[in-house]
Amino acid sequence: MMADYPLQTAFLLSLHKDGLAKITIHNYDQSIRQLFIYLTDLHGETPVAADSVTDNDLRAYLNQLRADKRLNDRTYNKLISQLNRYFRFCFSSGISHHLPTLELHGHAQAQKAKLDYEWLAKLPLILADDQVHFYTRLVILLCAHGYTSHEFLQPGFFHEVRKHPFKDAFEQTFLKQYAAFIRPLQALQGVPDLFLKQRYDPKDPLLSAPALHKYLAHDRQYLGFSINPSVLHRSYVLQNLQDHAEWSDQQLMTRLRLDPASLLYYRRLLLKTP
């Protein structure tokens, strides 16, 4: 069956691997599909190549939606985010050599919230706070070292933790406490992974992304800042871009484990962040 747009199957699979809900993935699919239907009608070209899409094409599409009163500010910003994620994926996959969304900006509503960097400075206090669940504290520690939820919810991630140089004494202390906490669950489930279900599940013992977010949601109000892993990762990257402005692109990509498309995205985001 022919795809409705370039890399459709691979893109949707990447969203699934990142732990997005089915309805969210469906919304992405619908948004990108509608864009390429518009582009096909506009250019009379089938199929439309991702590399041929320009920022002017996207502006024309968004302007048409606004003219038809199908976009309010919130929906506009959401669509910008969806398009940006898709074209970043195309860029990273090598089928496009530019990012047509770089010059597109969300409306002011999406710019109001400032990113909170204080959690990085408060890391020793957070890791020592027994009022915060162990899963939440481990998420924050891992995000403070640049890992994403897609990475640390994968089977076998414990190998990465074992070899990673957690140098600070407070980190090592917490990891010893975490090992004591998780050991009974590892024995129950029969696996050495770090995020595990509380109830025995031999077929699928690992904690899912939605289940993890329940723990995070429980601790959010107590901590007083967003502990969504994607938000934490974004603030971690932007903080490093600020702190290491003199570094080369290659140094930054190695330190932050970013591809060129992602580095471009975060540099642009840093310019727009209060």
Side-chain angles (χ1 to χ4, degrees):
M1 182 181 296
M2 183 176 292
D4 296 310
Y5 52 87
L7 295 182
Q8 180 182 19
T9 300
F11 177 61
L12 298 180
L13 180 60
S14 75
L15 298 180
H16 175 74
K17 288 182 177 179
D18 286 345
L20 273 66
K22 288 184 179 180
I23 184 62
T24 304
I25 296 174
H26 174 75
N27 289 339
Y28 268 94
D29 191 39
Q30 289 292 102
S31 295
I32 308 304
R33 181 186 289 125
Q34 290 301 317
L35 168 66
F36 277 86
I37 290 173
Y38 167 83
L39 294 174
T40 298
D41 292 341
L42 181 67
H43 297 297
E45 175 188 350
T46 305
V48 176
D51 202 35
S52 70
V53 180
T54 68
D55 56 342
N56 286 333
D57 288 333
L58 298 183
R59 285 194 183 93
Y61 177 59
L62 294 167
N63 288 338
Q64 182 193 71
L65 293 180
R66 291 188 70 84
D68 293 342
K69 298 183 178 179
R70 292 161 58 188
L71 282 183
N72 55 32
D73 284 347
R74 181 177 179 181
T75 307
Y76 180 90
N77 292 331
K78 179 180 179 181
L79 182 54
I80 290 289
S81 177
Q82 292 172 331
L83 295 178
N84 184 62
R85 187 163 187 163
Y86 170 72
F87 283 104
R88 281 176 57 205
F89 181 79
C90 292
F91 187 100
S92 300
S93 300
I95 71 164
S96 180
H97 299 88
H98 69 290
L99 290 171
T101 55
L102 275 180
E103 298 301 323
L104 299 180
H105 307 292
H107 286 210
Q109 179 182 351
Q111 306 292 332
K112 290 180 180 178
K114 293 183 179 181
L115 282 175
D116 185 355
Y117 301 107
E118 290 187 9
W119 65 276
L120 288 163
K122 295 178 179 177
L123 188 60
L125 295 175
I126 295 171
L127 295 185
D129 192 340
D130 291 337
Q131 297 299 312
V132 183
H133 195 278
F134 272 107
Y135 285 160
T136 300
R137 283 184 277 169
L138 183 59
V139 165
I140 294 173
L141 173 61
L142 294 174
C143 287
H145 284 263
Y147 293 107
T148 66
S149 60
H150 174 63
E151 292 174 307
F152 57 68
L153 288 178
Q154 292 297 314
F157 181 75
F158 64 92
H159 291 298
E160 178 67 25
V161 172
R162 287 176 180 173
K163 68 181 183 181
H164 185 86
F166 293 98
K167 298 179 180 179
D168 291 317
F170 70 87
E171 295 176 329
Q172 295 174 7
T173 297
F174 168 73
L175 288 173
K176 289 178 182 178
Q177 294 171 344
Y178 192 89
F181 156 76
I182 199 66
R183 194 173 295 118
L185 287 175
Q186 291 171 331
L188 173 68
Q189 303 291 4
V191 293
D193 292 281
L194 300 176
F195 292 96
L196 297 171
K197 296 176 180 177
Q198 300 287 328
R199 294 184 179 181
Y200 179 59
D201 188 345
K203 293 184 178 180
D204 189 17
L206 272 64
L207 202 67
S208 66
L212 176 62
H213 277 275
K214 290 182 180 179
Y215 288 98
L216 301 179
H218 182 267
D219 289 324
R220 185 189 185 286
Q221 185 173 2
Y222 174 77
L223 288 171
F225 61 89
S226 174
I227 45 180
N228 185 307
S230 63
V231 174
L232 296 178
H233 183 258
R234 183 162 67 246
S235 61
Y236 164 82
V237 171
L238 296 184
Q239 182 70 67
N240 273 271
L241 290 180
Q242 288 180 328
D243 291 345
H244 305 291
E246 75 284 1
W247 285 12
S248 68
D249 287 357
Q250 188 56 55
Q251 285 176 306
L252 289 168
M253 286 189 291
T254 300
R255 166 70 177 264
L256 304 175
R257 302 197 316 283
L258 299 176
D259 56 35
S262 297
L263 181 60
L264 274 173
Y265 167 76
Y266 285 115
R267 284 192 186 282
R268 195 77 185 185
L269 185 60
L270 182 62
L271 294 175
K272 299 188 294 182
T273 301

